[in-house]
Amino acid sequence: MTDTPKPPQTGDRLVASSAPARPHRPARHLGSPVTPWQRVVSSLATLVRLASRVAALSLVLYALFTVFRANPANVWYQFVESLAASLSLGLANLFQLAEPRWTTLVNYGLAAVVWLIIGSALASLIRRAAP
C-alpha cells in the first residue's frame, strides 16, 4: 500500500499576488535618544536592584544552611553567616519560635523580603529621576 499524493484542493493553491510590491520602510525611531544622564540613572538603579538581590540571596542562603544543618566549620557557611549577620536589618531576633532552625528561617527570610522591597522601591525612585 503506497500513499499517492492527492491533488491540491482549491483552497490549498498558491497564487501569486497581483498587488504591487511595497517599498522598504526604514525602521521607525521609537522615542527620543537616550542621554548620558539617563544612562547613568539607569545604571545606578540597576546597581541598587542588584545589590539588594545579592543581600537577599545571602540571607536566604544562611537561613537554608541553618534549616538543613550545614557544617558551621565550613568556610562558605562562615562567609554567608558573616554577611547575613551584617545584613539582617535588626530582624535576626524578631520572632522566637520553639525550634531555633525555624526561627532563623523566619527572621532571615523576613529580612530578605525587606531587602527586596527596599531595593525595588529605591530603584524605581532612582529611575524616576531621569527626565
Side-chain angles (χ1 to χ4, degrees):
M1 249 166 122
T2 59
D3 290 335
T4 58
K6 295 180 184 178
Q9 297 175 1
T10 56
D12 293 342
R13 294 185 185 171
L14 294 175
V15 179
S17 174
S18 61
R22 291 188 299 182
H24 173 71
R25 287 188 308 187
R28 284 189 282 162
H29 185 65
L30 302 174
S32 60
V34 178
T35 64
W37 172 250
Q38 288 172 329
R39 284 188 185 142
V40 167
V41 168
S42 178
S43 298
L44 183 61
T46 301
L47 185 65
V48 165
R49 185 167 284 156
L50 178 66
S52 69
R53 288 179 180 175
V54 168
L57 177 66
S58 66
L59 291 165
V60 169
L61 274 177
Y62 177 66
L64 290 175
F65 284 171
T66 303
V67 167
F68 293 115
R69 296 184 174 140
N71 180 10
N74 187 296
V75 174
W76 286 105
Y77 179 90
Q78 292 172 357
F79 175 70
V80 171
E81 181 184 33
S82 66
L83 273 177
S86 62
L87 296 172
S88 68
L89 300 173
L91 299 173
N93 295 318
L94 183 62
F95 296 107
Q96 296 295 322
L97 304 176
E99 177 69 33
R101 293 183 306 150
W102 301 116
T103 300
T104 302
L105 179 66
V106 169
N107 290 333
Y108 283 89
L110 180 62
V113 170
V114 170
W115 270 105
L116 291 175
I117 291 170
I118 289 173
S120 293
L122 190 58
S124 295
L125 288 174
I126 291 172
R127 284 193 197 277
R128 288 184 188 180

